[in-house]
Amino acid sequence: MVPPSSALVPPEEIKKIVDKTAEFVAKIGATFEERVGAKEKDNPKFNFLKEGDPFNEYYRNKIIECQGGKSQQDEEHVVDDGLALSVVAKRPTL
């Protein structure tokens, strides 16, 4: 579960685009986001894709939410250092 955030929620018209884009990025991956960003670079409705946009934090949190609360970098993995097996969890990056 994604912790509560102080992210600014976009107006309904933009929120629909943000939510749908986040769903696809969560399913397909960052390459989808890159393609949309390139195609819609001059469309102000997609400014949320840009770092520093007021709705970017909401968008990033929505991707994590759509992934079930875990980012790809947040997944736990097992490391065998030759002496013992250790479970390592990476910190989420937004």
Side-chain angles (χ1 to χ4, degrees):
M1 186 78 184
V2 177
S5 171
S6 60
L8 184 62
V9 178
E12 193 59 34
E13 176 187 1
I14 303 297
K15 184 178 180 296
K16 289 178 184 179
I17 297 169
V18 172
D19 291 351
K20 188 55 76 175
T21 303
E23 287 176 33
F24 281 113
V25 170
K27 289 178 188 175
I28 299 169
T31 55
F32 179 80
E33 179 181 274
E34 291 166 8
R35 287 188 309 218
V36 171
K39 182 179 177 190
E40 301 293 346
K41 67 181 177 184
D42 296 324
N43 185 342
K45 290 182 180 181
F46 284 85
N47 281 347
F48 64 87
L49 294 171
K50 299 173 184 170
E51 197 75 30
D53 183 80
F55 305 128
N56 183 266
E57 183 181 356
Y58 172 86
Y59 167 66
R60 297 285 167 208
N61 288 338
K62 192 68 175 180
I63 293 170
I64 294 169
E65 179 184 311
C66 291
Q67 292 172 331
K70 291 187 178 181
S71 70
Q72 291 173 346
Q73 281 122 6
D74 192 32
E75 295 294 326
E76 290 185 305
H77 62 279
V78 176
V79 175
D80 183 358
D81 63 3
L83 301 173
L85 295 178
S86 304
V87 176
V88 178
K90 293 184 182 179
R91 299 177 84 179
T93 55
L94 299 176

